[in-house]
Amino acid sequence: MKKLTTQTAVVAMLLFTMLLPHTLSAQTDIDALMMSKNEFCIGPMYSYSSWKNYWEGTRKRDNQNLGTVSTKMLSVMGNYGISKTLSVLFSTSYVKTKASAGTLQGLDGIQDLSLFLKWRPFQTKLGNGKLSLLGIAGVSVPLTNYTPDYLPLSIGLHSKTALGRLMVDYKWKDFFATASATYLLRDNIKIDRESYYTTEMHNTHEVEMPDASNYNFRAGFRNQRWIAEAVVNIWTTLGGFDITRNNMPFPSNKMNATTIGANFKYVLPPLPQLSIVAGGNTTVAGRNVGQATTVYGSVFYILDFSRKSTSTAPTLKAN
């Protein structure tokens, strides 16, 4: 894929994914690049995230009954260029969690399916560079009946979600900066108990999930062969409550996280359809999440389905 980003740290942090999905994701829905028309990029991504310390509300601590909590994730991602300004993307993941101490057993299974539309309605020259405006819409749905009420070892939050994202990208020569803002709607979930306590007693098995916002900033070097970027990601839950002292997390907790990281991509000269992507990030501030560090790697291949194409080489553009 043209560029891969990772929200896997968030996923491990919330441990749902831990913070998320958003799930990831990790994901080309968060960059400003477009596929060429009739080209399909697909590949696997493996990520590993772990944390020992976490924030219980705003109080940072560890838990000897958990030790180090780790999440392994194997994802499949695809990106198809409907036109030079419109792409459709998908991703799904297999997740496995583990705690190095205590009696809690980790879980594993297939998590959610995410679908996105990415549209670039506006692009123009500005000064000596190029300014682009993009809009992204997406949904995600659980693929299996995994339990969300087993944090921090659940593989997800089992909530249906919808998101809208606005993105601005500016590229000057081979240097760029991108900023995006996202609003995430989350559907209520059901848990396997008839009552639960948050800040008050609820005599129901339905849990109201708070919505969330995400701000992402990235800058670095980008051309047809290389991408190297620094990334700051700010995830904020718009509601929820803090983990109470010495209790397990709950799906509707307020889960906030700020991560910093770096991503890299290299297109192989002998085979320009093939690219190698790697990166990582770490949590520098949080609330009710683990102080997770995540690393990932992936390989992506581009298939050209254009009937007019006479070349096997993809027509990648660094925008």
Side-chain angles (χ1 to χ4, degrees):
M1 257 159 224
K2 299 213 171 177
K3 181 167 58 171
L4 183 65
T5 65
T6 179
Q7 290 184 4
T8 37
V10 181
V11 175
M13 297 178 305
L14 292 184
L15 229 3
F16 82 90
T17 24
M18 48 309 304
L19 217 179
L20 181 325
H22 159 268
T23 76
L24 243 345
S25 61
Q27 304 220 2
T28 54
D29 62 287
I30 198 69
D31 66 49
L33 298 181
M34 304 296 298
M35 292 298 299
S36 296
K37 183 178 180 180
N38 295 328
E39 287 185 350
F40 178 55
C41 176
I42 189 167
M45 182 189 79
Y46 176 80
S47 68
Y48 176 82
S49 181
S50 67
W51 53 267
K52 181 178 180 181
N53 298 315
Y54 66 99
W55 286 273
E56 189 178 72
T58 58
R59 175 176 176 262
K60 193 174 180 181
R61 58 165 296 179
D62 64 1
N63 189 329
Q64 295 183 5
N65 290 323
L66 288 173
T68 297
V69 175
S70 61
T71 302
K72 298 177 182 179
M73 180 181 294
L74 180 64
S75 304
V76 176
M77 303 178 180
N79 184 349
Y80 179 74
I82 298 173
S83 71
K84 66 178 182 180
T85 61
L86 182 64
S87 295
V88 59
L89 306 91
F90 75 88
S91 68
T92 187
S93 301
Y94 173 85
V95 181
K96 184 175 183 179
T97 65
K98 179 181 179 181
S100 66
T103 59
L104 291 179
Q105 298 296 310
L107 299 179
D108 65 275
I110 296 174
Q111 196 199 57
D112 303 339
L113 172 66
S114 298
L115 298 171
F116 303 93
L117 280 176
K118 180 192 283 189
W119 180 41
R120 189 182 64 205
F122 178 80
Q123 187 175 73
T124 187
K125 289 185 178 180
L126 182 63
N128 294 323
K130 185 182 295 183
L131 179 69
S132 301
L133 177 66
L134 298 94
I136 295 93
V139 296
S140 70
V141 294
L143 289 180
T144 58
N145 192 30
Y146 62 83
T147 177
D149 192 20
Y150 189 60
L151 295 172
L153 294 174
S154 299
I155 67 169
L157 295 179
H158 212 264
S159 176
K160 298 175 183 177
T161 68
L163 68 80
R165 176 178 299 128
L166 290 177
M167 184 181 302
V168 178
D169 177 79
Y170 185 74
K171 187 170 186 289
W172 175 75
K173 295 184 178 179
D174 286 338
F175 300 94
F176 76 97
T178 306
S180 65
T182 304
Y183 191 90
L184 185 78
L185 294 165
R186 296 198 284 195
D187 195 14
N188 294 348
I189 64 173
K190 295 180 180 180
I191 58 176
D192 293 330
R193 42 177 161 158
E194 293 302 320
S195 64
Y196 59 90
Y197 187 84
T198 56
T199 57
E200 60 184 2
M201 181 61 69
H202 298 265
N203 294 311
T204 177
H205 64 290
E206 185 170 348
V207 178
E208 183 176 348
M209 297 294 292
D211 296 337
S213 67
N214 187 72
Y215 297 95
N216 188 274
F217 308 93
R218 60 191 60 239
F221 178 88
R222 184 172 80 205
N223 63 21
Q224 292 185 346
R225 186 70 64 192
W226 282 96
I227 293 175
E229 62 179 7
V231 182
V232 177
N233 195 77
I234 303 170
W235 173 279
T236 304
T237 303
L238 305 175
F241 63 101
D242 289 333
I243 301 171
T244 54
R245 191 68 177 267
N246 294 323
N247 270 339
M248 294 178 66
F250 191 71
S252 61
N253 279 146
K254 177 183 288 291
M255 300 182 188
N256 300 343
T258 299
T259 64
I260 59 173
N263 300 316
F264 305 92
K265 176 204 146 186
Y266 178 64
V267 177
L268 277 66
L271 191 61
Q273 299 95 334
L274 189 66
S275 59
I276 299 173
V277 180
N281 55 60
T282 188
T283 310
V284 295
R287 184 167 185 159
N288 302 307
V289 299
Q291 189 176 16
T293 296
T294 299
V295 294
Y296 77 93
S298 58
V299 177
F300 291 101
Y301 191 83
I302 293 179
L303 300 169
D304 188 355
F305 292 103
S306 174
R307 296 179 181 179
K308 297 181 181 180
S309 176
T310 58
S311 171
T312 58
T315 55
L316 295 180
K317 293 183 179 179
N319 286 359

Coordinates of all heavy atoms in Angstrom, one line a residue, residues 62-148:
D62 N 1.6 0.0 38.0 CA 1.7 -1.3 37.4 C 0.8 -2.3 38.2 O 0.1 -1.9 39.1 CB 3.1 -1.8 37.4 CG 3.7 -2.0 38.8 OD1 3.0 -1.8 39.8 OD2 4.9 -2.4 38.8
N63 N 0.7 -3.5 37.7 CA -0.1 -4.5 38.4 C 0.6 -5.9 38.3 O 0.7 -6.5 37.2 CB -1.5 -4.6 37.7 CG -2.5 -5.5 38.5 OD1 -2.1 -6.4 39.1 ND2 -3.8 -5.1 38.3
Q64 N 1.1 -6.4 39.5 CA 1.8 -7.6 39.5 C 0.9 -8.8 39.2 O 1.5 -9.9 38.9 CB 2.5 -7.8 40.8 CG 3.6 -6.7 41.1 CD 4.3 -6.9 42.4 OE1 4.1 -7.9 43.1 NE2 5.2 -6.0 42.8
N65 N -0.4 -8.7 39.2 CA -1.3 -9.7 38.8 C -1.4 -9.9 37.3 O -2.0 -10.8 36.8 CB -2.6 -9.5 39.5 CG -2.6 -9.8 41.0 OD1 -1.9 -10.6 41.5 ND2 -3.4 -8.9 41.7
L66 N -0.9 -8.9 36.6 CA -0.9 -8.9 35.1 C 0.5 -9.1 34.5 O 0.6 -9.7 33.5 CB -1.6 -7.6 34.6 CG -3.1 -7.4 34.7 CD1 -3.5 -6.0 34.3 CD2 -3.8 -8.5 33.9
G67 N 1.4 -8.5 35.2 CA 2.8 -8.4 34.6 C 2.8 -7.6 33.3 O 2.3 -6.5 33.3
T68 N 3.3 -8.1 32.3 CA 3.3 -7.5 31.0 C 2.2 -8.0 30.1 O 2.1 -9.2 29.9 CB 4.7 -7.7 30.3 OG1 5.7 -7.1 31.0 CG2 4.7 -7.0 28.9
V69 N 1.4 -7.1 29.6 CA 0.3 -7.5 28.7 C 0.7 -7.2 27.3 O 1.2 -6.1 26.9 CB -1.0 -6.6 29.0 CG1 -2.1 -6.9 28.0 CG2 -1.5 -6.9 30.5
S70 N 0.6 -8.3 26.5 CA 1.0 -8.1 25.1 C -0.1 -8.5 24.1 O -1.0 -9.3 24.5 CB 2.2 -9.1 24.8 OG 1.9 -10.4 25.0
T71 N 0.0 -7.9 22.9 CA -1.0 -8.2 21.9 C -0.3 -8.4 20.6 O 0.5 -7.6 20.2 CB -1.9 -7.0 21.7 OG1 -2.6 -6.7 22.9 CG2 -3.0 -7.3 20.6
K72 N -0.6 -9.6 20.0 CA -0.1 -9.9 18.6 C -1.2 -9.8 17.7 O -2.3 -10.2 17.9 CB 0.5 -11.3 18.6 CG 1.7 -11.5 19.5 CD 2.2 -13.0 19.5 CE 3.3 -13.2 20.4 NZ 3.8 -14.6 20.4
M73 N -1.0 -9.1 16.5 CA -2.0 -8.9 15.6 C -1.6 -9.2 14.2 O -0.5 -8.7 13.7 CB -2.5 -7.5 15.6 CG -3.7 -7.1 14.7 SD -4.2 -5.4 14.8 CE -4.9 -5.4 16.4
L74 N -2.3 -10.0 13.4 CA -2.0 -10.3 12.0 C -3.2 -9.8 11.2 O -4.3 -10.2 11.4 CB -1.8 -11.8 11.8 CG -1.5 -12.2 10.4 CD1 -0.2 -11.6 9.9 CD2 -1.5 -13.7 10.2
S75 N -2.9 -8.8 10.4 CA -4.0 -8.2 9.6 C -3.8 -8.4 8.1 O -2.7 -8.6 7.6 CB -4.0 -6.7 9.9 OG -4.1 -6.4 11.3
V76 N -4.9 -8.3 7.4 CA -4.9 -8.3 6.0 C -5.6 -7.0 5.5 O -6.7 -6.7 6.0 CB -5.7 -9.5 5.4 CG1 -5.7 -9.4 3.8 CG2 -5.0 -10.8 5.8
M77 N -4.9 -6.2 4.7 CA -5.4 -4.9 4.2 C -5.4 -4.9 2.7 O -4.5 -5.4 2.1 CB -4.5 -3.8 4.8 CG -4.4 -3.8 6.3 SD -3.3 -2.6 6.9 CE -3.4 -2.9 8.7
G78 N -6.4 -4.2 2.2 CA -6.5 -4.0 0.8 C -7.0 -2.6 0.4 O -7.6 -1.9 1.2
N79 N -6.5 -2.1 -0.8 CA -6.9 -0.7 -1.2 C -7.0 -0.8 -2.7 O -6.1 -1.1 -3.5 CB -5.7 0.2 -0.8 CG -6.0 1.7 -1.1 OD1 -6.9 2.0 -1.8 ND2 -5.1 2.5 -0.7
Y80 N -8.2 -0.4 -3.2 CA -8.5 -0.4 -4.7 C -8.8 1.0 -5.1 O -9.6 1.7 -4.6 CB -9.7 -1.3 -5.0 CG -10.0 -1.4 -6.4 CD1 -9.2 -2.1 -7.3 CD2 -11.1 -0.7 -6.9 CE1 -9.5 -2.1 -8.7 CE2 -11.4 -0.8 -8.3 CZ -10.6 -1.5 -9.2 OH -10.9 -1.5 -10.5
G81 N -8.2 1.4 -6.2 CA -8.4 2.7 -6.8 C -9.6 2.7 -7.8 O -9.4 2.2 -8.9
I82 N -10.7 3.2 -7.4 CA -11.8 3.3 -8.3 C -11.6 4.4 -9.3 O -11.9 4.2 -10.5 CB -13.1 3.7 -7.5 CG1 -13.4 2.6 -6.4 CG2 -14.3 3.9 -8.4 CD1 -14.5 2.9 -5.5
S83 N -11.0 5.5 -9.0 CA -10.5 6.5 -9.9 C -9.2 7.1 -9.2 O -8.9 6.7 -8.1 CB -11.6 7.6 -10.1 OG -11.8 8.3 -9.0
K84 N -8.7 8.1 -9.9 CA -7.5 8.7 -9.3 C -7.8 9.6 -8.0 O -6.9 10.0 -7.3 CB -6.8 9.6 -10.3 CG -7.5 10.8 -10.8 CD -6.7 11.6 -11.8 CE -7.4 12.9 -12.2 NZ -6.6 13.7 -13.2
T85 N -9.1 9.8 -7.8 CA -9.5 10.6 -6.7 C -10.4 9.9 -5.7 O -10.9 10.4 -4.7 CB -10.3 11.9 -7.1 OG1 -11.4 11.5 -7.8 CG2 -9.4 12.8 -8.0
L86 N -10.7 8.6 -5.9 CA -11.6 7.8 -5.1 C -11.0 6.4 -4.9 O -10.8 5.7 -5.9 CB -13.0 7.8 -5.6 CG -14.0 7.0 -4.8 CD1 -14.3 7.8 -3.5 CD2 -15.4 6.9 -5.6
S87 N -10.9 6.0 -3.7 CA -10.4 4.6 -3.4 C -11.3 4.0 -2.3 O -12.0 4.7 -1.5 CB -9.0 4.7 -2.8 OG -8.1 5.1 -3.8
V88 N -11.4 2.6 -2.3 CA -12.1 1.9 -1.3 C -11.0 1.0 -0.6 O -10.2 0.4 -1.3 CB -13.2 1.0 -1.9 CG1 -12.7 0.1 -3.0 CG2 -14.0 0.3 -0.8
L89 N -11.1 0.9 0.7 CA -10.1 0.2 1.5 C -10.9 -0.8 2.5 O -12.0 -0.5 2.9 CB -9.3 1.1 2.3 CG -8.5 2.2 1.6 CD1 -9.4 3.5 1.5 CD2 -7.2 2.6 2.3
F90 N -10.2 -1.9 2.8 CA -10.7 -2.8 3.8 C -9.6 -3.3 4.7 O -8.4 -3.3 4.3 CB -11.4 -4.0 3.2 CG -10.5 -5.0 2.6 CD1 -10.0 -6.0 3.3 CD2 -10.1 -4.9 1.2 CE1 -9.2 -7.0 2.8 CE2 -9.3 -5.8 0.7 CZ -8.8 -6.9 1.4
S91 N -9.9 -3.8 5.9 CA -8.9 -4.5 6.7 C -9.7 -5.4 7.7 O -10.8 -5.1 8.1 CB -8.1 -3.5 7.5 OG -8.8 -2.8 8.4
T92 N -9.0 -6.5 8.1 CA -9.5 -7.3 9.1 C -8.3 -7.9 9.8 O -7.2 -8.0 9.3 CB -10.4 -8.4 8.6 OG1 -11.0 -9.1 9.7 CG2 -9.7 -9.4 7.7
S93 N -8.5 -8.3 11.1 CA -7.4 -8.8 11.9 C -7.7 -10.0 12.7 O -8.8 -10.2 13.2 CB -6.9 -7.6 12.8 OG -6.6 -6.5 12.1
Y94 N -6.6 -10.8 13.0 CA -6.6 -11.8 14.0 C -5.8 -11.3 15.1 O -4.6 -10.9 15.0 CB -6.0 -13.1 13.4 CG -5.9 -14.2 14.4 CD1 -6.9 -15.1 14.8 CD2 -4.7 -14.4 15.1 CE1 -6.8 -16.1 15.7 CE2 -4.5 -15.4 16.0 CZ -5.5 -16.2 16.3 OH -5.4 -17.2 17.3
V95 N -6.3 -11.4 16.4 CA -5.7 -10.8 17.5 C -5.5 -11.8 18.6 O -6.4 -12.7 18.8 CB -6.5 -9.6 18.1 CG1 -5.8 -9.0 19.3 CG2 -6.8 -8.6 17.0
K96 N -4.4 -11.8 19.3 CA -4.1 -12.7 20.4 C -3.5 -11.9 21.5 O -2.5 -11.1 21.3 CB -3.1 -13.8 20.0 CG -2.8 -14.8 21.1 CD -2.0 -16.0 20.5 CE -1.8 -17.0 21.6 NZ -1.0 -18.2 21.1
T97 N -4.0 -12.0 22.7 CA -3.6 -11.3 23.9 C -3.0 -12.3 24.9 O -3.3 -13.4 25.0 CB -4.7 -10.5 24.5 OG1 -5.7 -11.4 25.0 CG2 -5.3 -9.6 23.5
K98 N -2.1 -11.7 25.8 CA -1.5 -12.5 26.8 C -1.0 -11.6 28.0 O -0.6 -10.5 27.8 CB -0.3 -13.3 26.2 CG 0.5 -14.1 27.2 CD 1.7 -14.8 26.6 CE 2.5 -15.6 27.5 NZ 3.6 -16.3 26.9
A99 N -1.2 -12.2 29.2 CA -0.6 -11.5 30.4 C 0.5 -12.4 30.9 O 0.3 -13.6 31.0 CB -1.7 -11.3 31.4
S100 N 1.7 -11.8 31.3 CA 2.8 -12.7 31.7 C 2.7 -13.1 33.1 O 3.5 -14.0 33.5 CB 4.1 -11.9 31.5 OG 4.1 -10.7 32.4
A101 N 1.8 -12.6 33.9 CA 1.7 -13.0 35.3 C 0.2 -13.2 35.6 O -0.7 -12.7 34.9 CB 2.3 -12.0 36.2
G102 N -0.1 -13.7 36.8 CA -1.4 -13.9 37.3 C -2.2 -15.0 36.7 O -1.6 -15.9 35.9
T103 N -3.5 -15.1 36.9 CA -4.3 -16.2 36.5 C -5.2 -15.9 35.3 O -5.9 -16.8 34.8 CB -5.2 -16.6 37.6 OG1 -6.1 -15.5 38.0 CG2 -4.4 -17.1 38.8
L104 N -5.3 -14.7 34.8 CA -6.1 -14.3 33.7 C -5.5 -14.9 32.4 O -4.3 -14.7 32.1 CB -6.2 -12.8 33.6 CG -7.0 -12.1 34.6 CD1 -7.1 -10.6 34.4 CD2 -8.4 -12.6 34.7
Q105 N -6.3 -15.6 31.7 CA -5.8 -16.2 30.4 C -6.1 -15.2 29.2 O -7.1 -14.6 29.2 CB -6.6 -17.5 30.2 CG -6.3 -18.6 31.2 CD -4.8 -19.0 31.3 OE1 -4.2 -19.3 30.2 NE2 -4.3 -19.0 32.4
G106 N -5.2 -15.2 28.3 CA -5.3 -14.4 27.1 C -6.4 -14.9 26.2 O -6.8 -16.1 26.3
L107 N -6.9 -14.1 25.3 CA -7.9 -14.5 24.3 C -7.3 -14.4 22.9 O -6.3 -13.7 22.7 CB -9.1 -13.7 24.4 CG -9.9 -13.7 25.7 CD1 -11.1 -12.8 25.7 CD2 -10.3 -15.1 26.1
D108 N -7.9 -15.0 22.0 CA -7.5 -14.9 20.6 C -8.7 -15.1 19.7 O -9.6 -15.8 20.1 CB -6.3 -15.8 20.2 CG -6.8 -17.3 20.3 OD1 -6.8 -17.9 21.4 OD2 -7.2 -17.8 19.2
G109 N -8.6 -14.5 18.5 CA -9.7 -14.7 17.5 C -9.7 -13.6 16.5 O -8.9 -12.7 16.5
I110 N -10.6 -13.8 15.5 CA -10.8 -12.7 14.5 C -11.6 -11.6 15.1 O -12.6 -11.8 15.7 CB -11.5 -13.3 13.3 CG1 -10.6 -14.5 12.6 CG2 -11.8 -12.3 12.2 CD1 -11.3 -15.2 11.5
Q111 N -11.1 -10.4 14.8 CA -11.7 -9.2 15.4 C -12.8 -8.6 14.5 O -13.9 -9.2 14.3 CB -10.6 -8.2 15.7 CG -11.1 -7.1 16.7 CD -10.1 -5.9 16.6 OE1 -9.9 -5.3 15.6 NE2 -9.5 -5.6 17.7
D112 N -12.5 -7.4 13.9 CA -13.5 -6.7 13.1 C -13.2 -6.6 11.7 O -12.0 -6.7 11.3 CB -13.7 -5.3 13.7 CG -14.0 -5.3 15.2 OD1 -14.5 -6.3 15.7 OD2 -13.8 -4.3 15.9
L113 N -14.2 -6.2 10.9 CA -14.0 -5.9 9.5 C -14.2 -4.4 9.3 O -15.2 -3.8 9.7 CB -15.0 -6.6 8.6 CG -15.0 -6.2 7.1 CD1 -13.6 -6.5 6.4 CD2 -16.1 -6.8 6.3
S114 N -13.2 -3.7 8.7 CA -13.3 -2.2 8.5 C -13.4 -1.9 7.0 O -12.6 -2.5 6.3 CB -12.1 -1.5 9.2 OG -12.1 -1.7 10.6
L115 N -14.2 -1.0 6.6 CA -14.4 -0.6 5.2 C -14.3 0.9 5.2 O -14.9 1.6 6.0 CB -15.7 -1.1 4.6 CG -15.9 -2.6 4.6 CD1 -17.3 -2.9 4.2 CD2 -14.9 -3.2 3.6
F116 N -13.6 1.5 4.2 CA -13.4 2.9 4.1 C -13.6 3.4 2.6 O -13.2 2.6 1.7 CB -12.0 3.4 4.6 CG -11.7 3.0 6.0 CD1 -11.0 1.8 6.2 CD2 -12.0 3.8 7.0 CE1 -10.7 1.4 7.5 CE2 -11.7 3.4 8.3 CZ -11.1 2.2 8.6
L117 N -14.1 4.6 2.4 CA -14.0 5.3 1.2 C -13.1 6.5 1.4 O -13.4 7.3 2.3 CB -15.4 5.7 0.7 CG -16.3 4.6 0.0 CD1 -17.6 5.2 -0.3 CD2 -15.6 4.1 -1.3
K118 N -12.2 6.7 0.5 CA -11.3 7.8 0.6 C -11.4 8.7 -0.7 O -11.3 8.1 -1.8 CB -9.8 7.4 0.7 CG -8.8 8.6 0.8 CD -7.4 8.1 0.6 CE -6.9 7.5 1.9 NZ -5.4 7.2 1.8
W119 N -11.7 9.9 -0.5 CA -12.0 10.8 -1.6 C -11.1 12.1 -1.5 O -11.0 12.7 -0.5 CB -13.5 11.2 -1.6 CG -13.9 12.1 -2.7 CD1 -13.6 12.1 -4.0 CD2 -14.9 13.3 -2.6 NE1 -14.3 13.1 -4.7 CE2 -15.0 13.8 -3.8 CE3 -15.5 13.8 -1.5 CZ2 -15.8 14.9 -4.1 CZ3 -16.4 14.9 -1.7 CH2 -16.5 15.4 -3.0
R120 N -10.5 12.4 -2.7 CA -9.7 13.6 -2.8 C -10.4 14.6 -3.7 O -10.2 14.6 -4.9 CB -8.3 13.3 -3.3 CG -7.4 14.6 -3.2 CD -6.0 14.2 -3.7 NE -6.1 13.9 -5.2 CZ -5.2 13.2 -5.8 NH1 -4.2 12.6 -5.2 NH2 -5.3 13.0 -7.1
P121 N -11.3 15.5 -3.2 CA -12.1 16.4 -4.0 C -11.3 17.6 -4.5 O -11.8 18.3 -5.4 CB -13.3 16.8 -3.1 CG -12.7 16.7 -1.7 CD -11.7 15.6 -1.7
F122 N -10.2 17.9 -3.8 CA -9.5 19.2 -4.1 C -8.0 19.0 -4.1 O -7.5 18.4 -3.1 CB -10.0 20.2 -3.1 CG -9.3 21.6 -3.3 CD1 -9.8 22.4 -4.3 CD2 -8.3 22.0 -2.5 CE1 -9.2 23.7 -4.4 CE2 -7.7 23.2 -2.7 CZ -8.1 24.1 -3.6
Q123 N -7.3 19.5 -5.1 CA -5.9 19.5 -5.1 C -5.4 20.7 -6.0 O -5.9 20.9 -7.1 CB -5.3 18.2 -5.7 CG -3.8 18.1 -5.5 CD -3.3 16.8 -6.0 OE1 -3.3 16.5 -7.2 NE2 -2.9 15.9 -5.0
T124 N -4.5 21.5 -5.5 CA -4.1 22.7 -6.2 C -2.6 23.0 -5.8 O -2.2 22.6 -4.8 CB -5.0 23.9 -5.9 OG1 -4.7 25.0 -6.8 CG2 -4.9 24.3 -4.5
K125 N -2.0 23.8 -6.7 CA -0.7 24.3 -6.4 C -0.8 25.5 -5.4 O -1.7 26.3 -5.5 CB 0.0 24.8 -7.7 CG 0.4 23.7 -8.6 CD 1.2 24.2 -9.8 CE 1.7 23.1 -10.7 NZ 2.5 23.6 -11.9
L126 N 0.1 25.5 -4.5 CA 0.1 26.6 -3.5 C 1.6 26.9 -3.2 O 2.3 26.1 -2.7 CB -0.5 26.1 -2.2 CG -0.6 27.2 -1.1 CD1 -1.4 28.4 -1.5 CD2 -1.2 26.6 0.2
G127 N 2.0 28.1 -3.7 CA 3.4 28.4 -3.6 C 4.2 27.5 -4.5 O 3.9 27.3 -5.7
N128 N 5.3 26.9 -3.9 CA 6.1 26.0 -4.7 C 5.7 24.5 -4.4 O 6.4 23.6 -4.8 CB 7.6 26.2 -4.3 CG 8.1 27.5 -4.8 OD1 7.7 28.0 -5.9 ND2 8.9 28.1 -4.0
G129 N 4.6 24.3 -3.7 CA 4.1 23.0 -3.4 C 2.7 22.7 -3.9 O 2.1 23.4 -4.7
K130 N 2.2 21.6 -3.3 CA 0.8 21.2 -3.7 C 0.0 20.9 -2.5 O 0.4 20.2 -1.6 CB 0.9 19.9 -4.5 CG -0.4 19.4 -5.1 CD -0.2 18.1 -5.9 CE 0.7 18.3 -7.1 NZ 0.8 17.0 -7.9
L131 N -1.2 21.5 -2.5 CA -2.1 21.3 -1.4 C -3.3 20.4 -1.7 O -3.9 20.6 -2.8 CB -2.7 22.7 -1.0 CG -3.7 22.7 0.2 CD1 -3.1 22.4 1.5 CD2 -4.4 24.1 0.2
S132 N -3.6 19.4 -0.9 CA -4.7 18.5 -1.1 C -5.6 18.4 0.0 O -5.2 18.5 1.2 CB -4.1 17.1 -1.4 OG -3.2 17.0 -2.4
L133 N -6.9 18.3 -0.3 CA -7.9 18.1 0.8 C -8.6 16.8 0.5 O -9.0 16.5 -0.6 CB -9.0 19.3 0.7 CG -10.1 19.2 1.6 CD1 -9.7 19.3 3.1 CD2 -11.2 20.3 1.3
L134 N -8.8 16.0 1.6 CA -9.3 14.7 1.5 C -10.4 14.5 2.5 O -10.4 15.1 3.6 CB -8.3 13.6 1.6 CG -7.1 13.5 0.6 CD1 -5.9 14.3 1.1 CD2 -6.7 12.1 0.3
G135 N -11.4 13.6 2.1 CA -12.4 13.2 3.1 C -12.5 11.7 3.1 O -12.4 11.0 2.1
I136 N -12.6 11.1 4.3 CA -12.7 9.7 4.5 C -13.9 9.3 5.3 O -14.2 10.0 6.3 CB -11.4 9.1 5.2 CG1 -10.2 9.3 4.3 CG2 -11.6 7.7 5.6 CD1 -9.4 10.6 4.6
A137 N -14.6 8.3 4.9 CA -15.8 7.8 5.6 C -15.6 6.3 5.8 O -15.1 5.6 4.9 CB -17.1 8.0 4.9
G138 N -15.9 5.8 7.0 CA -15.7 4.3 7.2 C -16.6 3.7 8.2 O -17.3 4.5 9.0
V139 N -16.7 2.4 8.2 CA -17.5 1.7 9.2 C -16.7 0.4 9.6 O -15.8 0.0 8.8 CB -18.9 1.2 8.6 CG1 -19.7 2.4 8.3 CG2 -18.7 0.3 7.4
S140 N -17.0 -0.1 10.8 CA -16.4 -1.4 11.2 C -17.5 -2.2 11.9 O -18.4 -1.6 12.6 CB -15.2 -1.2 12.1 OG -15.6 -0.7 13.3
V141 N -17.4 -3.5 11.7 CA -18.4 -4.4 12.4 C -17.6 -5.6 12.9 O -16.7 -6.1 12.3 CB -19.5 -4.9 11.4 CG1 -20.4 -3.7 11.0 CG2 -18.9 -5.5 10.2
P142 N -18.0 -6.1 14.1 CA -17.4 -7.3 14.6 C -17.7 -8.5 13.7 O -18.8 -8.7 13.2 CB -18.0 -7.5 16.0 CG -18.6 -6.2 16.3 CD -19.0 -5.6 15.0
L143 N -16.7 -9.4 13.5 CA -16.8 -10.6 12.6 C -17.1 -11.8 13.4 O -17.6 -12.8 12.9 CB -15.6 -10.8 11.8 CG -15.4 -9.8 10.6 CD1 -14.1 -10.1 9.9 CD2 -16.6 -9.7 9.7
T144 N -16.8 -11.8 14.7 CA -17.1 -12.9 15.6 C -17.7 -12.5 16.9 O -17.8 -11.3 17.2 CB -15.8 -13.7 15.9 OG1 -14.9 -12.8 16.5 CG2 -15.1 -14.2 14.6
N145 N -18.2 -13.5 17.6 CA -18.9 -13.2 18.9 C -17.9 -13.1 20.1 O -18.1 -13.8 21.1 CB -20.0 -14.2 19.1 CG -20.9 -13.8 20.2 OD1 -21.1 -12.6 20.5 ND2 -21.5 -14.8 21.0
Y146 N -16.8 -12.4 19.9 CA -15.8 -12.3 21.0 C -16.4 -11.4 22.1 O -17.3 -10.6 21.9 CB -14.5 -11.8 20.5 CG -14.5 -10.4 19.9 CD1 -14.5 -9.3 20.8 CD2 -14.6 -10.2 18.6 CE1 -14.5 -8.0 20.3 CE2 -14.7 -8.9 18.1 CZ -14.6 -7.8 18.9 OH -14.6 -6.5 18.4
T147 N -15.9 -11.6 23.3 CA -16.4 -10.9 24.5 C -15.6 -9.6 24.7 O -14.4 -9.6 24.7 CB -16.3 -11.7 25.8 OG1 -16.8 -10.9 26.9 CG2 -14.9 -12.2 26.1
P148 N -16.3 -8.4 24.8 CA -15.6 -7.2 25.1 C -15.4 -7.0 26.6 O -14.6 -6.1 27.0 CB -16.5 -6.1 24.6 CG -17.9 -6.7 24.8 CD -17.7 -8.2 24.6

